[in-house]
Amino acid sequence: APRGARSGPDPGLGAWAGFMRRSALGVLRALRMTASDPASAAAAEMATAATVRGTKRSAPSQSPGDEGEVDARGVHPRGRAGGIRRSFAADAADAAQSEEPSTSSSPYVQPADIHVAYTSKQIDAHVRAEFYPNEGGDSSGGIRLVGLDVEARPSRVKGVTHPVALVQVTTPDNRGCLLAHVYGAMDLSAATPGRPFEPGSAKTRFPPLLARLLNDPNVLAVGQGVAEDLRQIARHFPEIHPANDEGVPSEGCRPPTSRGAFVDLAAVVDFYDVPALGLGRLAAHCGFPDVVKPKSVQVSDWSRTPLTDAQVRYAAQDAALSLWVLERLHARYAPAGVNLSTWASAFAGCETRKDVTSRCKRLDGVVCQTMRTHMRARLERWRDEEGDAKRVLAFRKSSLALARHDEGVLAGRHGVNARSTLATLAQFAGARIRFDHARDEGAEGADSIGGRVTVATCVLDERETIGIGRGINKKRATASAAVDALRRLRETKDGEWWCESLVKTLRGPNAADRMRATGGVAGGLDWECGHGDGAGCVRARSGVAAYVPRNAA
C-alpha cells in the first residue's frame, strides 16, 4: 500500500456489506412474522407487492458502480433501497397484527396499484380508465369519494411561491392511487424573486381529464385540509374552479348544490369531538398508530423527476390514508343504516367549526332524514354543552373575583371595593345591578349635613332590593350600599353564583395559575363544601370535559 494510506477493508465494500446485511435481516423478520399465520402471510404479500408503474421512474437501486449519483439529500440510491424494503416489511407487520383496531377490523394497507405519471397523456389515460371508462354514456354514477393531497417544491426564499408539483388522487375503492406529476407534464420552471410564477403562463395545458375530475361535482375529495389543497391548485392553474370562500361555486363550475365538492376531515372531527388533530393522530385514533411521515421527505424537492421511492410511498400514503380514516370514522360514528357516501355528503363543503354549526342549523343539502335527525340532535347537544360551559366558567370566575376581593380588602389595596366586585359578579351571572339615590331631610347623625343625608339603594334585576346605604353624598352612600349588597349576596347566592369554600381555596398567589391550568372550563377543581347535588358546585367542580367553543347557541 502507498505510504500514508489507511489499511483495512475497502469502505465501499463495507457499506455494501452493511446494506446486504440489513436487507437480509428485514427479509428474515418478514418471513418469521408470516410463517406462523397464513392470514399474516397474505397481508404481508399484499403490502410488499405494491406495483409502481411509470415510464420515467428509475429502479429502486442502482448498480455498484454508480458512485456519483445521489438524491437531493446526498444519499446514494443504494442506501434508500434498504429503507424501502424495511418499510414494506413494517407495513406487512402492521397488517398482520391480530389485535383489532378501535374502529374496524380491516387494517390500513398501502394501495396495491400506485401509478406514477409524468406526462399529460399518461395522466389522462389513467383518469379515463378509472373514472370515465364510458365516454359515450352517463359517467356520473352518483357520489364518489377519493382521497386527495398535493405536494409542491418547498420555498426557501421569502416571497417566492412554487406551483403545485404533484396531485395525488386515489380510486374510490382506495386500492389504487394516481400520482400526477403536473409540474413535469406542463413543463413548468422554478419561480425566482425576479421571475415569479404567473398562473396561466404554462406552455402546456393542465391535463384536461384531471381538470375534469377535480371540477366534477359528483367526486368528493377527502383529506385533512383538502379545501386549501383545492384552492392551492386553483390559484396556480385557472382550469380548476373550486368553490370560493363563501361556499358558492366560482364561474365555470356548476355543481348541483352550493356546497363545495370536498369532505374535510377537520369538519368531521369537529362534529364528533374526536380527540385527535392531524392526519397522523387521526390514523392512530382509528387503529393505525405507526404512521411514518419523514420530515426529510415532506420538504424534499417534489418538482424533480423521477420521484424517489420514499417520495412515492409518502405521497400515496397521504392520499390513501385520508380515505381510509374517513371509512373508519364512518364505521364508528355514523348512525345505523346510513351508507358512507350519504354520511360523507352531509359534511361536503364544511371546512371550519362555523361551517359545521351552520350546516346543522340549516341542513342545506342534507336529504337523508336519518342524517337530518342525527345533525339536529348533535346541535342540541352542543347547545347544552355550551350552556353548561358558560355556567361553569361564570361560577369559577365569580369565586376567583371574590377571592381577589377578600385579599385586596385585607391588604388595603387601592381600587378594590365592593361596588367594582358587584359589577364583576353581575357580569358573570348575567344580572343587572342598579343604584337609586334619594334625599332624607331632617336626618340626624354623623352621616348628615345640616339635617340632610343621601340614601342609596342597590337593586338587583329591577325587582329586588339587596342593599341600602347612607352618606353625606352620593359617592359615600353608594359605597355603603355596595358593601351591604355584597354581604347579602354572599349569604344568599353561595352555591348558586359561587362557592365560599372555593373562594377560600382560591385565595393565594397561585389562584390564577390554578384556574388557567384547568382550562377555565374543561378541567376539574378540587374543593370540599356542604352544598348538595342541586347546587352549581357539582358541575363547576367536574368541569365540561367535552366542551368545544363553537357558538352553537
Side-chain angles (χ1 to χ4, degrees):
R3 185 176 182 181
R6 296 175 58 188
S7 61
D10 183 11
L13 292 178
W16 179 251
F19 159 69
M20 294 299 295
R21 180 178 62 83
R22 291 191 299 272
S23 300
L25 289 175
V27 172
L28 288 176
R29 282 195 297 269
L31 290 176
R32 184 164 58 249
M33 176 194 67
T34 59
S36 60
D37 186 5
S40 300
E45 181 180 358
M46 180 181 296
T48 56
T51 59
V52 182
R53 300 195 302 270
T55 57
K56 288 189 178 183
R57 184 171 173 268
S58 60
S61 60
Q62 305 289 334
S63 60
D66 297 335
E67 300 293 341
E69 296 186 15
V70 295
D71 63 8
R73 293 178 292 146
V75 179
H76 195 276
R78 287 203 311 268
R80 289 199 308 267
I84 295 297
R85 289 186 176 90
R86 287 193 297 275
S87 57
F88 270 117
D91 281 352
D94 292 336
Q97 292 291 333
S98 59
E99 182 180 357
E100 291 188 356
S102 59
T103 57
S104 174
S105 59
S106 59
Y108 170 77
V109 178
Q110 192 86 342
D113 183 11
I114 304 175
H115 189 98
V116 186
Y118 295 96
T119 66
S120 293
K121 185 177 180 179
Q122 293 175 355
I123 295 172
D124 284 349
H126 186 80
V127 173
R128 181 181 292 108
E130 293 291 343
F131 292 94
Y132 307 108
N134 303 319
E135 286 295 334
D138 183 14
S139 59
S140 61
I143 297 296
R144 289 179 287 182
L145 301 169
V146 298
L148 179 76
D149 193 31
V150 300
E151 303 292 346
R153 177 181 177 180
S155 178
R156 296 179 173 86
V157 180
K158 185 177 180 179
V160 175
T161 302
H162 298 287
V164 171
L166 187 71
V167 179
Q168 307 106 272
V169 184
T170 69
T171 56
D173 60 5
N174 211 18
R175 296 183 61 85
C177 183
L178 169 65
L179 306 185
H181 200 280
V182 296
Y183 195 97
M186 300 179 66
D187 195 22
L188 301 178
S189 58
T192 61
R195 190 184 61 183
F197 176 78
E198 294 291 340
S201 62
K203 301 177 182 178
T204 307
R205 288 195 312 158
F206 193 86
L209 280 183
L210 181 59
R212 174 183 173 183
L213 177 67
L214 295 177
N215 289 327
D216 194 335
N218 294 313
V219 176
L220 298 183
V222 179
Q224 183 77 11
V226 67
E228 179 57 33
D229 290 341
L230 290 172
R231 282 194 292 267
Q232 188 176 359
I233 300 175
R235 282 194 295 266
H236 298 149
F237 309 112
E239 295 86 351
I240 309 302
H241 311 285
N244 59 24
D245 292 337
E246 286 76 25
V248 180
S250 303
E251 184 179 356
C253 182
R254 298 181 299 276
T257 68
S258 63
R259 299 176 297 171
F262 63 86
V263 178
D264 200 321
L265 292 177
V268 182
V269 166
D270 274 340
F271 182 81
Y272 290 106
D273 296 328
V274 179
L277 297 175
L279 187 58
R281 293 183 180 179
L282 271 176
H285 176 76
C286 294
F288 184 55
D290 299 327
V291 178
V292 178
K293 300 185 67 174
K295 190 69 175 180
S296 58
V297 180
Q298 181 184 2
V299 300
S300 60
D301 189 355
W302 293 92
S303 65
R304 297 180 61 180
T305 57
L307 297 176
T308 66
D309 293 288
Q311 285 178 319
V312 169
R313 289 178 54 82
Y314 182 97
Q317 176 183 265
D318 261 11
L321 198 58
S322 298
L323 188 54
W324 182 85
V325 165
L326 184 73
E327 293 171 352
R328 303 287 84 74
L329 292 176
H330 168 262
R332 181 166 185 174
Y333 296 109
V338 179
N339 60 37
L340 177 62
S341 298
T342 303
W343 174 77
S345 299
F347 302 100
C350 294
E351 185 179 359
T352 64
R353 292 174 179 173
K354 182 179 179 181
D355 297 335
V356 177
T357 305
S358 177
R359 178 65 50 80
C360 292
K361 290 179 179 179
R362 301 177 183 177
L363 297 175
D364 50 320
V366 183
V367 296
C368 176
Q369 187 60 41
T370 304
M371 280 302 298
R372 293 173 71 90
T373 304
H374 181 62
M375 299 184 86
R376 286 197 191 100
R378 199 72 185 179
L379 181 62
E380 291 301 322
R381 176 181 171 182
W382 286 340
R383 286 172 172 168
D384 292 342
E385 288 177 354
E386 185 154 2
D388 290 341
K390 287 180 178 179
R391 287 188 287 271
V392 169
L393 190 60
F395 193 97
R396 294 184 176 185
K397 284 189 173 182
S398 297
S399 301
L400 181 62
L402 282 176
R404 289 176 172 173
H405 171 83
D406 293 344
E407 292 176 353
V409 170
L410 291 175
R413 203 171 299 151
H414 179 71
V416 177
N417 55 71
R419 184 175 183 180
S420 62
T421 303
L422 273 178
T424 302
L425 296 177
Q427 179 183 0
F428 292 151
R432 183 182 177 184
I433 297 290
R434 189 187 80 241
F435 288 92
D436 295 332
H437 301 86
R439 289 282 188 179
D440 185 8
E441 302 291 344
E444 298 180 358
D447 294 332
S448 63
I449 299 180
R452 295 180 299 176
V453 66
T454 302
V455 179
T457 304
C458 183
V459 181
L460 175 64
D461 290 334
E462 305 292 342
R463 64 179 184 272
E464 181 183 359
T465 300
I466 58 174
I468 300 176
R470 302 165 66 87
I472 58 176
N473 52 38
K474 286 185 177 181
K475 182 177 180 180
R476 293 191 178 184
T478 301
S480 177
V483 171
D484 186 43
L486 183 59
R487 178 184 59 80
R488 292 190 183 183
L489 282 180
R490 297 188 74 161
E491 294 174 353
T492 58
K493 300 298 182 181
D494 182 19
E496 181 182 353
W497 286 12
W498 58 78
C499 178
E500 290 294 339
S501 298
L502 178 58
V503 171
K504 295 179 182 178
T505 304
L506 292 177
R507 291 174 185 169
N510 299 324
D513 295 336
R514 289 193 58 194
M515 290 288 290
R516 280 193 294 267
T518 64
V521 173
L525 279 175
D526 294 329
W527 78 89
E528 298 294 335
C529 66
H531 300 116
D533 295 338
C537 307
V538 177
R539 172 64 73 180
R541 186 181 291 110
S542 60
V544 185
Y547 170 71
V548 178
R550 58 181 82 242
N551 295 324

